Amino acid sequence: MAQHPKRLAPSLAKKLTVPLTADYRVLSSSPPAASRDAPFRLPLEHTEHLLLQLGLVRKAGLPPNYGLDPSHLTAKFHPQSSTRLCIEIENAHRQAWKVPHAIVPRLPPKRPHAPHPVSESDVSLDYEVVWNDPASFDFSVLRKSSGEKLFDTSSLGLTMKDQYIEFATHLSRGSAQGQTANLFGLGENVGPLRRTPGTTTTLWARDHPCKPDTNLYGCHPFFMQVLPSGSAHGVFLLSSNGMDIVFSPEGDRLTYKVIGGAIELYIFTGPSPQQVIQQYTELIGRPCMIPYFAQGFHICRWGYDTLDKVKDVVSNFEENSLPLEAMWIDIDYMKDYKCFTFDEERFPVKLLAEYANQLHAQNQHLVMILDPGIKVQYQPGLYEPYDEGVAKNLFVKRRITKLEEEENGMLHQGDLVDFVGKVWPGKTTFPDWFHPEAQAYWQKYITRWLQQVSLDGIWLDMNEAASFHDGDCSHIESSEDRPVRVEDFAMAETEDSDDEIIMSSQSDQLHIIDSSGPKPPVIYANPNEPPYRINNNNEHAELGFRTISPDALHYGNVIEYDVHSLYGHMEAIATYNALRELQPNKKPFILSRSTFPGSGRFVCKWNGDNWSTAADMKASIPGLLNFQFFGITMIGADIGGFGDAASEELLIRWHQLGAFYPFMRNHNCLNNPPQEPYIYKALTEVTRAYVDMRYRLLPYWYTLFYRSHQDGSMVCSPIWVLDPTDPDLLSNDEQFLVGEAILVSPALELNQTVVHARFPAGRWYDLHTGVLEAFVQQGEKSTQSKGSTVLTMDAPLNKIPVHLRGGHILPRAGIGRGEFIRTTSQVREAPIEILVALDEMECARGEYYHDDDSFAPNGTLVRFEARPGVLSMSSFATEDPVDPLKEGPKASLVDHDGDDLGVPQGSKALGPTYVQSIVVWGVGMDHVTPGKISDGDSKSSSQVEPHQVRVSIVDVVTPTTKTLQHQRELSRVNPDEFSVQWDSASSQLQVQFRRGGLKVRGDQALEVDWTEALVA
């Protein structure tokens, strides 16, 4: 392989008499600032953007091979909304690569900044930009209300070369005591949720089993910082170029080192962590709305290599009374691992199609894998997807740099030929998603594929894009051009092949963008060997390591160097479009390994190829939480681990934890021992119990996914969202929240029998029993206590601590205890149970979303509110599903917090809600001492008799009924229609309706009143 130029040695860096970064001064401003005396405030309130011209005042102290510093730059400041600021900086004379809007649309805010305001309130920005020194690249973005610095380049300079950009920001300390900055996000990699000072995050998509401190499948240059005040803000660099993001050892600076492109930076002001994520996903697109079945339990293994084995697995779930929602099939089904094919010996397509229909008849589902690599088949007529791709020039290209011989004759310097990698089937080519005919091509073969077997989802793998060799593989020996054999595979890093691979040591100068613009394009002298080598594979590996060469070309003269990390994202878009075209009213379910900002609009995600260790199980929590920040909320790790053997105890603990992943799938690798949940008796019993708990909570999960789809809220949250001022919560990544109501405190070590769980302020009820198990008082703001405490909770092998926070109301499946829930269809068709967990004021709120599971706009949003002695429920119209194919600005969801939910709010057009039961925890509870609650200490002195509970279905007030109270009296449900149970020892009230549930129309409200019992 070509040798890389020497990097700047530390000894040389010390000898330099000038800073490494260049610097620029302000030459002009349009519109002009009121004053140019330092510091001066940029006038952003009354303009769509402000343009600064910057001139070079100091060259970067870097070796000559880094290239020249541009003499002039332009800097645009766009106040896009009161909470979103965009900063664009680029070479004033040459056009660098930017991610096209067609690939990542910059979606407008719901309330954009008005450049010509009607009143001052219309233009109030949450931020201001102050240029500290016009003689330097020195500005600060501040939060107006507090003066907190959100981005600060003071004295840090700016380098803006063609193949090397460096800029940095100071970071505010994490606490008043000088703690390092609380930084979250930046990925994809394995590590703690809160970023560790002294670490480098490398972004360059690549195929590699999960291990710490290395770049993995996706690239997400977004971070959120939580300040000592508890306020949060986000920063997003929209760039597809490779980069290192360096968190200083002192934890007070973040430096970007990007190997191309321009600067397109977004700052989101929050100030709450949830608002930061909502503002970020408002820009890149909201997470897709999932089909209901996706919430169920999924099983997969590379190694279910015949249809009979697949059938046996499904049968074993049934025989062991284990729920199974979806059967997944890995590359085993393919003929010689060729995409869109079926092996007629192992998976006869007719029998596979019949079995898919059988699964559907059982309300179960089938998902299969699809890789992007298309097998090279030089003889025409053997493989149509390859023949058509070649005929239409649909594959990624490479430019010949010296005389070569190939199957069809001699190739000369400058010729363009297909880039060839090597993946599962042998030599492969890669569809070029930039080609205008690539969508039709991909859609054609997906449609044919699904017409043969009716699948319910598509699993996109190897789409970084992965290759088993470095560089072009056109000239590997024919003996090596074969499908991978079982004995070839080991899930570990393999040694570099000794096969001779002809690589381009340098490329011709390549235009990377359409040169029709007003500025000539940036030209890379050598994309294979950039002057700065990012920390690829945690060893500064070459960019072409196990992937497409960076000098490969896409349609329109776009170079792989700039767009490498977009490959999986663009495949996701093509696949989503194909499914929507084929089934317009069906919500697509696509799981993708490689992602980019905005991928969540189209696909879900899993954490990748992990290992069967307790450490990997623990690492799955920050992994799933990071992707909540990135706008991909449907995510989970391979339960049990993909690689190596899993012990029975590890499998038990992982299935308990996995029951609270957004995406729950047990996935195993070839050559490993089985790890299905029916292989051990204890594992079977625990899995059955926790999947049952999950399925009963699916109405709540689905509501969370709806909320995420509409406003970008996180489905799972770090525990510190409840109190971002608490440093003990900010460092916690061993617990997490489902929504903001359910606290999961898993056992993450083997031989563990207790969990030292940290509880934020509030009442915490055991979700298994409903008994109040912890009560933490809110700490005084003037004291060091921030209101969280550690309590020791029992965690025998068959249980992990799971708690429901007081003040929340959850919808659960109204299915009888002990009744086997086989598939999610039973939950979707069942009435609901309304679970009310009262806080110290005996109040609570919640919501429930339901629809017909199609893409049609027919959902109903139900709001619940509990006040002392009263529960109310009303229905509301919902917004239509967010369609990525038509997405634009949407109006905000109506805030009904101030409404009386006892008054009907909806209409008859809304779907009815069926209520099977109402369970209220914490009714009339006696004084509770803070801390862990002992048995019997959560009792109530109240006594609730059945006749003291009134249930009303309230219709719209008419002239005949005159008043709401009169209407309530007329609408009382006959006491014979329900039963009441009261347990004073646990302070629990239950109202049970007849089987099938109480029907509440969309134009009605439900009210349950037990105040008579509380005042008696």
Side-chain angles (χ1 to χ4, degrees), residues 47-296:
T47 183
E48 290 185 0
H49 70 263
L50 181 141
L51 175 65
L52 297 179
Q53 298 287 345
L54 306 179
L56 182 69
V57 295
R58 182 182 72 214
K59 294 181 179 180
L62 293 169
N65 65 322
Y66 274 71
L68 300 175
D69 295 291
S71 60
H72 295 86
L73 304 177
T74 59
K76 291 182 181 179
F77 290 77
H78 304 262
Q80 296 182 347
S81 76
S82 63
T83 60
R84 184 206 294 180
L85 172 66
C86 174
I87 304 171
E88 295 183 278
I89 304 172
E90 56 187 295
N91 189 321
H93 302 298
R94 291 204 288 172
Q95 183 66 58
W97 166 260
K98 293 181 181 178
V99 177
H101 286 244
I103 298 173
V104 180
R106 286 66 153 174
L107 298 172
K110 291 177 181 176
R111 294 191 62 187
H113 169 61
H116 304 292
V118 176
S119 65
E120 186 64 28
S121 62
D122 292 331
V123 297
S124 179
L125 302 177
D126 291 354
Y127 51 84
E128 61 181 354
V129 179
V130 175
W131 206 276
N132 303 304
D133 181 2
S136 180
F137 184 75
D138 186 336
F139 70 88
S140 303
V141 181
L142 302 96
R143 193 188 308 280
K144 270 187 184 178
S145 60
S146 63
E148 293 168 317
K149 291 183 177 180
L150 311 184
F151 201 85
D152 180 17
T153 70
S154 301
S155 305
L156 298 178
L158 167 67
T159 298
M160 199 79 185
K161 297 176 183 290
D162 290 347
Q163 283 187 269
Y164 184 70
I165 299 172
E166 180 178 330
F167 65 103
T169 177
H170 296 285
L171 300 172
S172 300
R173 292 291 186 175
S175 71
Q177 290 72 42
Q179 174 185 317
T180 59
N182 297 310
L183 209 63
F184 303 90
L186 303 177
E188 177 179 9
N189 50 29
V190 175
L193 185 62
R194 184 169 66 177
R195 307 303 298 180
T196 304
T199 57
T200 295
T201 302
T202 299
L203 302 187
W204 182 259
R206 57 185 297 271
D207 166 28
H208 195 284
C210 299
K211 72 174 185 179
D213 304 320
T214 189
N215 50 306
L216 295 174
Y217 316 103
C219 295
H220 295 270
F222 167 81
F223 75 82
M224 175 163 53
Q225 185 181 1
V226 179
L227 301 175
S229 64
S231 65
H233 64 276
V235 177
F236 169 45
L237 176 64
L238 180 45
S239 171
S240 57
N241 289 88
M243 68 182 79
D244 285 340
I245 305 175
V246 183
F247 190 14
S248 67
E250 298 78 18
D252 61 354
R253 183 185 300 179
L254 196 73
T255 302
Y256 294 85
K257 300 182 176 185
V258 191
I259 58 173
I263 296 175
E264 184 177 346
L265 195 73
Y266 294 86
I267 298 172
F268 311 94
T269 63
S272 75
Q274 195 74 269
Q275 287 171 320
V276 171
I277 304 307
Q278 291 170 342
Q279 292 156 13
Y280 175 51
T281 57
E282 185 177 53
L283 172 73
I284 64 169
R286 306 297 196 196
C288 59
M289 188 60 189
I290 60 166
Y292 206 93
F293 87 86
Q295 303 175 107

Side-chain angles (χ1 to χ4, degrees), residues 871-882:
L871 170 69
S872 300
M873 180 191 97
S874 286
S875 299
F876 298 85
T878 63
E879 292 198 33
D880 296 349
V882 179

Side-chain angles (χ1 to χ4, degrees), residues 594-715:
S594 183
T595 57
F596 191 78
S599 292
R601 301 165 65 210
F602 309 99
V603 297
C604 308
K605 160 81 178 157
W606 89 107
N607 285 12
D609 296 342
N610 58 357
W611 302 88
S612 300
T613 68
D616 281 66
M617 177 172 64
K618 179 180 177 180
S620 71
I621 297 175
L624 78 88
L625 293 177
N626 257 325
F627 275 88
Q628 305 299 308
F629 304 154
F630 301 153
I632 305 177
T633 50
M634 184 60 164
I635 183 171
D638 286 344
I639 294 173
F642 180 68
D644 281 347
S647 68
E648 179 180 9
E649 182 182 359
L650 180 66
L651 288 171
I652 288 173
R653 290 307 196 190
W654 213 325
H655 280 84
Q656 290 168 333
L657 169 59
F660 298 95
Y661 289 159
F663 173 58
M664 186 182 188
R665 182 182 70 163
N666 178 321
H667 183 207
N668 194 7
C669 181
L670 193 75
N671 296 335
N672 292 336
Q675 61 184 41
E676 294 84 2
Y678 50 72
I679 62 171
Y680 302 112
K681 181 179 179 181
L683 173 62
T684 301
E685 293 172 352
V686 170
T687 302
R688 184 186 300 126
Y690 274 83
V691 176
D692 180 81
M693 177 183 281
R694 176 187 179 88
Y695 276 32
R696 291 178 187 278
L697 287 167
L698 290 187
Y700 174 60
W701 277 104
Y702 196 64
T703 302
L704 293 175
F705 284 116
Y706 165 76
R707 178 58 59 200
S708 176
H709 175 66
Q710 289 293 344
D711 68 14
S713 297
M714 293 180 278
V715 169

